Amino acid sequence: MAVILKVRGTRDLLPPETELWNRVEATTRALFARYGFGEIRTPIFEDTQLFARGVGEETDIVSKEMYTFTPADDVGRSAGRVTGESAGLPSRDEKAQSLTLRPENTAGVVRAYIEHKLNDIGTLQKLFYIGPQFRRERPQRGRYRQFWQIGAEVLGPAWSGAESPLRDAEVLEMLATLLDELGVRGWQLDLNSIGSTTDRPRYLAALRAALAPIKHQLTPDNQRRAETNPLRVLDSKDPRDQALIEALPCIADFLDEDSRSHFDQVKAALTACGVPFRDNPRLVRGLDYYTRTTFEFTIPDGSGLGTQNALLGGGRYDGLSEMLGGPKAPGIGFAIGEDRLILALEAQAEQESPVERKLDAFIAPMGISQNSAALVLARELRAAGLSIEVGEGAFRLKRSFETADKLAHRMVIVGEDEVASDLFTVKHFSRGEQEKVTRVGLAEALRR
RNA sequence: GCGGCUAUAGUUCAGUGGCAGAACGCCGCUCUGUGGCAGCGGAUGUCGUGGGUUCGAAACCCACUAGCCGCCCCA
């Protein structure tokens, strides 16, 4: 029989790696709670239109990287092959619905915000999520077709203060704290403002105008970008074009008074909090919904991520709710690439000494007649909060010792003598010592 | 989606046309209630998949699949 393998770009997470995932998520949840965030869980698939409108029809994500499908029932229905009256199926004129596995989660969160009329509550909504996202890209280290994001969104009606630069600074300060708490070393925060929904078109027009006469001097990649997505020319890494790029108009010069003041306040608040950042006028974001503040946390080369050195990114999206047919609800959010975060932490941990994780005790029954007694003892000790593995009475004692030494800090022998005398032999592997302990004293002895 | 590199034991890898290998790990014995150390022994396997060249292919060629690196883009 041919073996069935995981599909390209997906992966299985096994112990002990999952332990690190859980640690990251637990740390994150605890921290988010301190900042007043509540968890939201949105569906893993949504109406395709949500991403087309929210993320942007012209973005790479929507135009070529989405997992889009139409359920077989809907296909049959739209093809008129389903009669409709049998089995209570929907009538044939019901339109086939195009669905898409979410390529990111902000659109889904804002959709839920609109759908549940959270704007009418009137207060700021602070929501976080942890879950898988899907993009059909060429897989690489730190870049998978099913990847996990930890994200959060702060949004609310204009009067809730959702638009305040304080929110931007709070989110950024929280992220800096999170990376520190997780033990990520050497991170860098890049910060920019890409202007309001009115600033951006003005700047874009000026950028196109500046690009037009020099376009033919650019490398082919950047010529194409100049056409399709001029903003991306700005963060091109190609050294051959740097001189030309330097001379292009700068977004900072096109911010209106409000946007400039907003950005200045964000930076002032960050400085007050002691969060280091780099003003990066080249930092643009790929998704259509971003306005004003945009940011990215990266780690240095050689930190285990290859060229995928962005750990997380985000920004403000003051017009997204309206783009999705909702009320005015400015907001700011971010998404952490959890896979990348884990890779970075693993790469760091490799440079340090790995910590062995062992169970409290291994219980070794002597002979199959002691199996039940061993299991009962394990049950008691586990109930007392200890982590326990049980051996197998058919195995020779030597084998029990070998197995126990690999798995646990201590071993308890359960043989006829022990059960009869109520004195159990406990071996402490680290100390190489052995002692006899009564049943009532066992839990205590195994904790030391 | 484009370009490049790679795929051999559980793991890390050697093997450039002629018997499928090493280290570590695993199992057994020395050792029937005392592990770690040591000695001896054992199994490691569709050589990624399919086709082709050849007397003969793990090796050469082609395709496919997957991983990695770079690009595009992005978390």
Side-chain angles (χ1 to χ4, degrees), chain A residues 332-348:
Chain A
I332 182 167
F334 62 84
I336 304 170
E338 190 175 4
D339 309 74
R340 293 183 182 179
L341 179 59
I342 300 274
L343 281 173
L345 289 171
E346 282 173 342
Q348 264 182 206

Side-chain angles (χ1 to χ4, degrees), chain A residues 28 50 68 95 99 215 262 336 346 372 377:
Chain A
T28 306
L50 175 66
T68 295
K95 280 273 287 276
L99 305 176
K215 203 156 51 187
H262 191 276
I336 304 170
E346 282 173 342
S372 307
L377 185 59

Side-chain angles (χ1 to χ4, degrees), chain A residues 186 298-310 351:
Chain A
T298 54
I299 50 172
D301 292 347
S303 302
L305 284 186
T307 47
Q308 314 297 322
N309 67 337
Q351 293 161 10

Side-chain angles (χ1 to χ4, degrees), chain A residues 149-269:
Chain A
Q149 285 190 334
I150 299 174
E153 316 290 348
V154 180
L155 74 170
W159 62 85
S160 68
E163 216 161 350
S164 167
L166 177 134
R167 287 344 329 177
D168 305 50
E170 183 187 34
V171 160
L172 289 164
E173 184 276 323
M174 177 173 81
L175 285 167
T177 304
L178 177 62
L179 294 182
D180 287 343
E181 264 187 34
L182 288 170
V184 176
R185 290 192 303 265
W187 56 260
Q188 176 178 298
L189 165 58
D190 280 49
L191 196 61
N192 191 23
S193 174
I194 57 169
S196 68
T197 44
T198 53
D199 300 335
R200 198 131 71 118
R202 282 194 298 124
Y203 173 63
L204 224 46
L207 187 59
R208 283 186 203 278
L211 281 169
I214 60 155
K215 203 156 51 187
H216 63 279
Q217 300 172 45
L218 294 169
T219 52
D221 266 351
N222 277 324
Q223 287 190 30
R224 184 181 45 72
R225 286 164 150 181
E227 287 295 332
T228 59
N229 195 350
L231 283 177
R232 293 231 70 97
V233 176
L234 294 177
D235 67 353
S236 165
K237 287 154 228 149
D238 200 315
R240 290 168 293 179
D241 288 342
Q242 290 311 306
L244 290 166
I245 292 170
E246 297 285 349
L248 291 171
C250 189
I251 180 72
D253 300 326
F254 287 78
L255 301 184
D256 65 20
E257 195 43 48
D258 281 354
S259 291
R260 190 190 317 275
S261 155
H262 191 276
F263 192 34
D264 286 344
Q265 289 178 67
V266 173
K267 290 189 279 191

Side-chain angles (χ1 to χ4, degrees), chain A residues 311-377:
Chain A
L311 270 188
L312 71 96
R316 182 160 276 289
Y317 45 82
D318 291 339
L320 178 56
S321 174
E322 288 152 293
M323 286 163 70
L324 297 176
K328 180 168 172 57
I332 182 167
F334 62 84
I336 304 170
E338 190 175 4
D339 309 74
R340 293 183 182 179
L341 179 59
I342 300 274
L343 281 173
L345 289 171
E346 282 173 342
Q348 264 182 206
E350 229 161 81
Q351 293 161 10
E352 295 151 17
S353 59
V355 204
E356 250 187 311
R357 198 168 169 88
K358 288 187 168 184
L359 300 168
D360 290 319
F362 182 93
I363 296 178
M366 294 301 306
I368 54 173
S369 58
Q370 302 303 326
N371 272 349
S372 307
L375 198 58
V376 169
L377 185 59

